[in-house]
Amino acid sequence: MNILLTGGAGYIGSHTAVVLVQAGHKIVIYDNFCNSSKPTIDNLESVVKQKVSVVEGDIRNTSLLAQTLKQFSIDAVIHFAGLKAVGESVQEPLNYYENNVQGTLSLLRAMNELCVKNIVFSSSATVYGDPQYLPIDEAHPLAPTNPYGRTKLHIEQILEDQTKADIDFKVVNLRYFNPVGAHASGLLGENPKGTPNNLTPFIARVASGDLQELNIFGNDYPTEDGTGVRDYIHVEDLADGHVAALNFLSHTVGFETFNLGTGNGCSVLQMIVAYKKASGKKIPYRIVSKRPGDIASCYAAPTKANQILKWKAGRTLQEMCESSWAFQQYLKNSHPVSANTQ
Ligand code: NAD
Ligand code: WQD
């Protein structure tokens, strides 16, 4: 199929682009590069050993989107494009609603104009809010606690409403838990601009000496060792989930949601141990106060995806850390001065 990847130059999109090409799909990346960079496309092309079509554009540009859908005879869209920093969304809610929600409406208008009726959406476990039970299944109540999570929930509701208005419109809604790690080639990975908000890119920069120490946000949670527990999933497993979602899309109807996680919880201290083992580096840290809005534990029940998508995350925590470290070293070697030192 001809697949449009909005936000396809980003962390998850670029890894998904690899497996889609390898599965025989033709892909087009549509990205405004507000949180990614052009060298990612070069590295992606090195990995897949072929040129990749790229349109530089904003998802709020409906006419450019329509032109792109037509030019490349797109059959389905995987919608990665969006702003995703929780803290930033609290400071700038209007930017998040405009970019994520309005941007999605623009995309849906363009898809409607061109009769493109298949979409896979990048949602987030953040729509569940503070878990009422664990592991979290798709029936868990939806109660996001920040503007970012609310943009995701609003988009899910828009998509579901559209499937009710148009019986030919089909949605696979993927709720990602905590993606980490990098591509086995060492050429693709997570390289957030500025100081990382998320745990593993921060640890990676401590291991590489770019950052001095990790602040652990609280160690008195009701968890095994007192630190926060999350469901970390290898980004390559996550990418594979999108191929499975596309296959499912071709023989389903309506709106269907799947949790993409491992089903395993891992604490901050356990992640530090794994990263030390993977990198051979010390990871200095200190305990500081809890981060506002943080929850104690969050991990998935991935049963529905396992059974219906015939997909299961198989890569280990050690592989996540080893691939992350390999990419961090690639960054350091290819940008010895500027690597992550913004
Ligand atoms: P990312 O920031 O690396 O990738 C997002 C891409 O979208 C970037 O390349 C960015 O330039 C592009 N983009 C953003 N706004 C755009 C716009 N208006 N027009 C065109 N392009 C735009 O993020 P990611 O980690 O790859 O996440 C991809 C998607 O998955 C996001 O929607 C995110 O909310 C979601 N998600 C991510 C995580 C995570 O922890 N990484 C977890 C759950 C869900
Ligand atoms: C993981 C654990 C922190 C950084 C976020 C978004 C979520 C999704 C994934 C987009 C927590 C602890 C972290 C640090 C720390 N993104 N931590 N020191 O918060 O589970 O989820 O990213 O959809 O929406 O909320 O991930 O990596 O920020 O934190 O102690 O410097 O690591 O307290 O327990 P989180 P995270």
Side-chain angles (χ1 to χ4, degrees):
M1 288 200 285
N2 300 333
I3 316 286
L4 183 74
L5 279 65
T6 73
Y11 172 45
I12 301 170
S14 56
H15 287 78
T16 303
V18 170
V19 293
L20 289 175
V21 170
Q22 290 169 345
H25 296 289
K26 282 197 172 311
I27 66 164
V28 180
I29 286 176
Y30 184 97
D31 205 306
N32 68 359
F33 293 96
C34 71
N35 199 37
S36 49
S37 56
K38 304 278 175 65
T40 297
I41 304 296
D42 300 332
N43 289 354
L44 169 58
E45 291 179 336
S46 301
V47 172
V48 298
K49 298 183 177 55
Q50 60 184 269
K51 295 298 281 179
V52 169
S53 300
V54 178
V55 174
E56 182 170 0
D58 194 300
I59 54 171
R60 290 165 289 188
N61 184 339
T62 312
S63 57
L64 181 56
L65 272 170
Q67 186 186 315
T68 304
L69 294 171
K70 184 174 182 180
Q71 179 184 349
F72 294 97
S73 309
I74 296 297
D75 302 302
V77 175
I78 305 183
H79 183 28
F80 294 105
L83 300 177
K84 60 160 185 176
V86 168
E88 185 182 61
S89 79
V90 174
Q91 305 303 322
E92 304 166 25
L94 298 184
N95 285 350
Y96 270 68
Y97 280 101
E98 186 186 329
N99 193 79
N100 294 0
V101 180
Q102 190 176 323
T104 302
L105 287 170
S106 165
L107 170 64
L108 294 175
R109 285 289 187 199
M111 288 174 69
N112 209 35
E113 185 186 325
L114 273 295
C115 296
V116 177
K117 305 274 187 179
N118 302 306
I119 186 169
V120 176
F121 175 54
S122 298
S123 192
S124 168
T126 206
V127 299
Y128 293 118
D130 201 348
Q132 293 181 21
Y133 57 80
L134 289 166
I136 296 177
D137 62 11
E138 290 81 357
H140 186 286
L142 304 176
T145 58
N146 55 70
Y148 164 70
R150 281 189 279 274
T151 68
K152 288 299 183 183
L153 181 53
H154 285 312
I155 293 167
E156 288 191 9
Q157 291 164 339
I158 290 166
L159 292 170
E160 187 164 19
D161 285 344
Q162 184 61 12
T163 62
K164 291 172 182 161
D166 176 354
I167 53 166
D168 296 324
F169 189 72
K170 301 189 285 186
V171 180
V172 173
N173 179 45
L174 301 178
R175 292 177 183 153
Y176 311 154
F177 280 68
N178 289 63
V180 298
H183 190 260
S185 65
L187 295 176
L188 296 171
E190 190 174 16
N191 183 26
K193 292 180 176 170
T195 304
N197 297 304
N198 293 132
L199 180 66
T200 48
F202 199 107
I203 290 177
R205 294 187 190 173
V206 172
S208 66
D210 293 324
L211 291 172
Q212 265 201 316
E213 66 178 4
L214 170 73
N215 293 318
I216 296 183
F217 300 139
N219 70 341
D220 59 353
Y221 283 107
T223 61
E224 194 182 319
D225 60 23
T227 62
V229 170
R230 297 291 184 274
D231 185 333
Y232 297 102
I233 175 171
H234 198 297
V235 67
E236 290 202 84
D237 280 333
L238 195 60
D240 292 340
H242 290 76
V243 176
L246 277 176
N247 295 338
F248 175 77
L249 200 57
S250 58
H251 58 267
T252 186
V253 290
F255 179 92
E256 202 67 58
T257 294
F258 298 93
N259 286 345
L260 295 191
T262 66
N264 306 317
C266 169
S267 75
V268 177
L269 288 173
Q270 287 169 334
M271 179 63 82
I272 290 170
V273 169
Y275 216 99
K276 280 167 72 171
K277 187 176 172 194
S279 63
K281 302 290 185 182
K282 288 187 172 58
I283 312 287
Y285 64 80
R286 65 193 175 116
I287 307 296
V288 299
S289 52
K290 290 179 180 161
R291 180 170 63 177
D294 262 2
I295 55 180
S297 294
C298 177
Y299 50 91
T303 321
K304 185 179 173 188
N306 301 160
Q307 291 173 350
I308 296 180
L309 295 185
K310 305 282 183 278
W311 166 91
K312 185 172 171 60
R315 292 170 176 89
T316 65
L317 180 66
Q318 213 50 47
E319 287 172 292
M320 296 177 211
C321 294
E322 286 164 0
S323 61
S324 167
W325 177 239
F327 181 65
Q328 191 62 31
Q329 290 176 293
Y330 159 76
L331 288 174
K332 193 100 177 168
N333 297 333
S334 49
H335 309 285
V337 178
S338 64
N340 317 126
T341 51
Q342 294 97 321

